[in-house]
Amino acid sequence: VVTRDVPRGAIVQGNPARIAGYVDTLQSLVERSSANVSGNSSVRELRARGARILQLPKVVDLRGSLSFAEIGKHLPFEPKRFFLVYDVPSREVRGEHAHLELHELLVCIRGSLSVMVDDGNVKDEVQLTSPAEALLVPPQLWRVHYKYSPDAIMLSLCSHVYDANDYIRDYEEFLSVVRR
Amino acid sequence: VVTRDVPRGAIVQGNPARIAGYVDTLQSLVERSSANVSGNSSVRELRARGARILQLPKVVDLRGSLSFAEIGKHLPFEPKRFFLVYDVPSREVRGEHAHLELHELLVCIRGSLSVMVDDGNVKDEVQLTSPAEALLVPPQLWRVHYKYSPDAIMLSLCSHVYDANDYIRDYEEFLSVVRR
């Protein structure tokens, strides 16, 4: 990060002119549109129990693209933690585990990656390719991440802070939990 | 998004072998490390009232990079909304406004962008260049975004869902609010 002091009253550098013809900012446009997201967001249930693909609202105009999600519309929980995965050098498998309680929302912000979700009976493989789509992984689903493209960046929003006791890292133990 | 059914018992495609010598996944490594983040995270107060740069913990190893934040450590609020800005074609100014109540955490996930924060008395300009740093913008700070690099991707986590009444879009009105 680079910071610098800005003298009081200074003009902001970098050309502060707005793009002609746009009174509002990109964000204001999208925020207005968020009052009516039903037309451009959707939910698709996967076969694995509780897993869902969320198409997030996306607004594209001359000023760029923006996708968003909020509680009560696209986000089924209040995130307590987020993490970003990037600079993944290989397409190997990672992220093999399940959670007892934690819900996770995954967004592939750049590039692509695949996730397999498995409820102990049914598996789905999902390739995430857009910052305007998200995979909701509820608790007690085994998940595997793989096939990260070299430029892939993954955002995870989690319903709980880290708790080692919430993890199931052994697949046989996972099966015994979900079959109880 | 592309999904496909995975036959029960199928081997996951894409080389499911773990990288030799790593028993745990990248995520598990980081999650263990999150129990002890004091050594690799920090907070720097800016001059503008309440604005802060947060250095997020980052773990880099052969399997890639990961940065994270969680409530009670690096995240001072529970996000109710997030949005991603990308494919910004110019370095023009955008995002000129302040909020009455909303706290925002900004992360430049890829590329770089600059943010000016202004409390009505003091301005700071911050260039964000890493997914392991975040800018906390508390309410009643005027902010301007600009100098997006062509590949820039910005993540914003917000303490509130969208509320048009929470916005101050006029700088003179902003000054009158903060000088009350």
Side-chain angles (χ1 to χ4, degrees):
Chain A
V1 66
V2 177
T3 63
R4 68 178 183 87
D5 298 342
V6 180
R8 184 164 175 176
I11 301 294
V12 173
Q13 295 186 332
N15 189 355
R18 291 167 186 264
I19 296 173
Y22 286 88
V23 173
D24 294 317
T25 62
L26 177 62
Q27 187 174 342
S28 71
L29 177 72
V30 169
E31 281 157 347
R32 282 204 316 279
S33 77
S34 76
N36 179 20
V37 298
S38 57
N40 53 3
S41 65
S42 68
V43 175
R44 183 152 64 93
E45 302 284 337
L46 299 182
R47 298 185 314 147
R49 177 183 33 75
R52 292 179 200 165
I53 299 288
L54 311 176
Q55 288 290 338
L56 303 181
K58 180 178 174 182
V59 176
V60 180
D61 70 16
L62 286 176
R63 292 159 298 171
S65 301
L66 193 153
S67 53
F68 64 96
E70 66 181 39
I71 285 287
K73 287 177 181 166
H74 332 88
L75 248 181
F77 57 83
E78 295 187 7
K80 302 291 192 301
R81 172 183 176 90
F82 75 86
F83 62 89
L84 293 157
V85 175
Y86 46 101
D87 296 340
V88 175
S90 83
R91 297 170 74 81
E92 309 282 320
V93 164
R94 61 199 68 232
E96 294 171 280
H97 65 276
H99 287 280
L100 287 167
E101 302 279 346
L102 183 142
H103 297 253
E104 189 173 16
L105 190 75
L106 300 175
V107 182
C108 183
I109 293 172
R110 187 182 162 85
S112 63
L113 60 92
S114 292
V115 182
M116 191 203 64
V117 286
D118 173 0
D119 65 10
N121 273 306
V122 177
K123 296 180 176 74
D124 290 297
E125 181 185 346
V126 178
Q127 187 186 28
L128 297 172
T129 59
S130 164
E133 61 196 19
L135 172 63
L136 177 69
V137 185
Q140 303 192 17
L141 279 195
W142 190 260
R143 91 282 312 272
V144 179
H145 299 172
Y146 52 116
K147 298 182 190 167
Y148 278 72
S149 65
D151 60 346
I153 303 174
M154 188 191 76
L155 166 66
S156 166
L157 298 164
C158 305
S159 65
H160 292 66
V161 299
Y162 176 66
D163 175 4
N165 296 322
D166 192 58
Y167 280 74
I168 309 171
R169 299 198 185 278
D170 179 82
Y171 190 73
E172 293 305 317
E173 183 188 342
F174 163 71
L175 289 179
S176 74
V177 167
V178 296
R179 289 172 182 171
R180 251 174 226 158
Chain B
V1 65
V2 177
T3 63
R4 68 176 182 88
D5 299 342
V6 180
R8 185 165 175 172
I11 300 295
V12 173
Q13 295 186 333
N15 191 354
R18 291 165 186 264
I19 297 173
Y22 287 88
V23 173
D24 294 317
T25 62
L26 177 61
Q27 187 175 343
S28 71
L29 176 71
V30 168
E31 281 157 349
R32 283 204 314 279
S33 78
S34 75
N36 179 19
V37 297
S38 58
N40 51 5
S41 64
S42 68
V43 174
R44 183 153 64 91
E45 302 284 338
L46 299 182
R47 298 183 315 145
R49 174 184 34 76
R52 293 179 199 164
I53 298 288
L54 312 175
Q55 289 290 338
L56 304 181
K58 180 179 175 182
V59 176
V60 180
D61 70 17
L62 286 176
R63 291 158 300 170
S65 301
L66 193 152
S67 52
F68 64 95
E70 68 180 38
I71 286 286
K73 288 178 180 166
H74 332 89
L75 247 182
F77 57 83
E78 295 187 5
K80 302 290 192 301
R81 172 184 176 90
F82 74 87
F83 62 89
L84 293 158
V85 174
Y86 47 100
D87 296 340
V88 175
S90 83
R91 297 169 74 80
E92 308 283 318
V93 164
R94 63 198 67 230
E96 294 171 280
H97 66 277
H99 287 279
L100 287 167
E101 303 279 346
L102 182 142
H103 297 251
E104 188 174 16
L105 190 76
L106 299 175
V107 183
C108 182
I109 293 173
R110 186 181 163 84
S112 63
L113 60 93
S114 291
V115 182
M116 189 202 65
V117 286
D118 172 1
D119 65 10
N121 275 304
V122 177
K123 297 180 176 75
D124 290 297
E125 180 186 344
V126 179
Q127 187 186 28
L128 297 172
T129 59
S130 162
E133 62 196 20
L135 172 63
L136 178 68
V137 185
Q140 302 192 18
L141 279 195
W142 189 260
R143 91 282 312 272
V144 179
H145 299 173
Y146 52 117
K147 298 182 191 166
Y148 279 72
S149 66
D151 60 346
I153 303 174
M154 188 190 78
L155 167 66
S156 165
L157 298 164
C158 305
S159 65
H160 292 65
V161 298
Y162 174 67
D163 175 3
N165 296 321
D166 192 57
Y167 281 74
I168 309 170
R169 299 198 184 279
D170 179 82
Y171 189 73
E172 294 305 315
E173 183 188 342
F174 163 71
L175 289 179
S176 75
V177 167
V178 297
R179 288 172 182 170
R180 250 174 229 160

